[in-house]
């Protein structure tokens, strides 16, 4: 099924990001597409004070991660 394949792609891409340590993805209802993957990611330093956590506050890291996922999904969709 397309959502499952998409979930696997999103998980793989998220785990490529240096701030992401763990990923969980679930099927989320969507009025236009019936269902879409929804990702939850644990970031480095969320549970401990580390230089990486101080260097990238969560909102900034989340924004950068989302941009990376969108860019790589688009690139991989064309190949």
């Amino acid at each position: 099924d397309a959502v499952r394949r998409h979930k696997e792609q999103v998980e793989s891409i998220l785990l490529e990001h240096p701030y992401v340590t763990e990923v969980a993805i679930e099927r989320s209802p969507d009025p236009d597409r019936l269902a879409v993957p929804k990702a939850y990611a644990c970031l480095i330093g969320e549970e401990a004070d580390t230089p990486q956590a101080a260097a990238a506050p969560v909102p900034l890291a989340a924004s950068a991660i989302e941009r990376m996922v969108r860019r790589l999904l688009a690139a991989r969709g064309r190949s």
Side-chain angles (χ1 to χ4, degrees), residues 17-19 43-46 50-65:
H17 196 282
Y19 290 154
L43 305 180
I44 287 175
E46 282 188 324
T50 65
Q52 294 93 337
V58 172
L60 294 177
S63 177
I65 292 167

Side-chain angles (χ1 to χ4, degrees), residues 20-71:
V20 176
T21 59
E22 294 182 59
V23 176
I25 299 183
E26 69 178 10
R27 183 184 288 252
S28 180
D30 182 81
D32 297 323
R33 296 178 280 178
L34 300 178
V36 295
K38 183 175 185 176
Y40 299 90
C42 292
L43 305 180
I44 287 175
E46 282 188 324
E47 296 183 15
D49 290 329
T50 65
Q52 294 93 337
V58 172
L60 294 177
S63 177
I65 292 167
E66 182 178 355
R67 283 192 309 273
M68 182 193 87
V69 169
R70 289 181 184 276
R71 179 176 46 81

